Amino acid sequence: MNEISSKLMDGIETQQDWSKVLDRIAAERDRQQFSALYDHFAPLLKSYLISRGAGAAIAEELLQETLLQVWHRAHQFNAQRGNAATWIYRVARNKYYDYLRHQRLADRPPPEPELSEPDSAPKAERELESELDGQLLNNTLQQLPSRQAQVLYMSYYQGKSHAEIAQSMEIPLGSVKSTLRLAFEKLRSCLGGAR
Amino acid sequence: MKMQYHPDDATLLGFANATLERNFAVLVACHLRHCPRCRQRLRQAEQLGAELMQRLQPAEVSADCKQALFDRLDESTKLDPAERSATVTAQQHEPLIPALLQHWPEQDFDTVPWKRIAPGIQQHKIDLGSSNLSLLRIAPGTCMPSHGHEGSELTMILRGSYSDEIGRFQPGDVADLDDEIEHQPIADRDEPCICLVATDAPLRFNSWVPRLMQGLVFSFD
């Protein structure tokens, strides 16, 4: 077990189709569906926000802001353009960026939405975006060499810049980047739309 | 636009999880606008972020958090954000890419108020607050001083081309350099080379003359 896999849950629970849930929330303003979505995502969002550096109270406020936006903008979600979890992740990431910038703690902007939108490719190709082999991803994550797992952890979960990772691991900046590149190369093949 | 050199995957990952400083993020966004290959990778990096988030150990959420959220479901989205929350406001984002670079392939850079900083080299600093982004206009055939980097340097070509130890960089191409690389770009001879340069640490010049330039080109004022 390396550092990252010890942080992971054992396996991943049965994948609910959150895209369908979002569709029903959009179409029917279905609070029961939203409640299920909250029960699944709120503890994960809180965990994510705390690992990025938010205190518990701020994390709860930000997760509320995130899920409130999900509720109000569910109609903007398009399952053909990616999966629901990625959409929710982007909202949370952007809320945390807003918070850091508002507090003048950091100015590290996320991509604008149009950069994350798939290009006008044929439908079959676009659907690949949401395809993912979860089991393969688990296995690949658990088999990552510990340095790759650690750099990935610091980048995604702790939100450290490459320079901050280099400083805290006491390795050259170039090694941080090559280590991240190697990890991504392995993980990319488990993600939808990989080429 | 056929691009041969792209930002490092590590840089795209940094953009996807919002850990790039604004100057790097702006430059990468300028490249991504015109690069389907990197947009695809960015989406994968975001998907990876979502997958990693779902593999975190869930945190315990206080009982009244859910009730507080449900109490707010009926509130109008048009309500003044400041009234909703004192800590977090839903801010109106200005566009990430500044107006001067929004349409960079067609932009007329002749009207930019260039400042001459060395023979054959002009600079225009783009104000991004705390981070450093500059346009450089390098006369045809001009040889930049050989230099390394204390931190990262991202350079994107907007017009013309330059060549260095790595290759020949043309419009849209990005040189993604770290502290292990030294290079000496030479602007190609046919036209001036205009490029966008983001750095997070002073450049490291290899001779004393360019050291004089250091403060001029990439000062952190």
Side-chain angles (χ1 to χ4, degrees), chain B residues 73-107:
Chain B
L73 294 187
D74 293 323
E75 74 185 31
S76 162
T77 47
K78 292 195 178 91
L79 203 66
D80 181 356
E83 288 172 28
R84 290 210 315 253
S85 158
T87 321
V88 183
T89 59
Q91 300 183 356
Q92 286 300 312
H93 292 154
E94 56 200 81
L96 175 58
I97 301 178
L100 180 62
L101 299 169
Q102 277 287 337
H103 306 287
W104 65 263
E106 300 86 35
Q107 179 70 37

Side-chain angles (χ1 to χ4, degrees), chain B residues 106-138:
Chain B
E106 300 86 35
Q107 179 70 37
D108 176 10
F109 290 106
D110 287 344
T111 56
V112 168
W114 295 103
K115 280 191 181 152
R116 181 178 177 277
I117 54 166
I121 306 173
Q122 294 172 299
Q123 182 190 34
H124 172 68
K125 288 187 181 180
I126 296 171
D127 183 17
L128 291 182
S130 59
S131 61
N132 237 14
L133 188 67
S134 283
L135 283 173
L136 285 185
R137 187 173 190 273
I138 308 163

Side-chain angles (χ1 to χ4, degrees), chain A residues 3 6 10 23 32 37 53 62 106 110 114-115 140 147 149-151 163 172-173 184 190:
Chain A
E3 188 174 329
S6 69
D10 293 331
D23 284 346
Q32 216 169 345
L37 183 129
L62 289 168
E114 75 262 20
L115 297 176
T140 312
R147 180 184 273 201
Q150 196 177 355
V151 169
L173 182 65
F184 187 53
C190 319

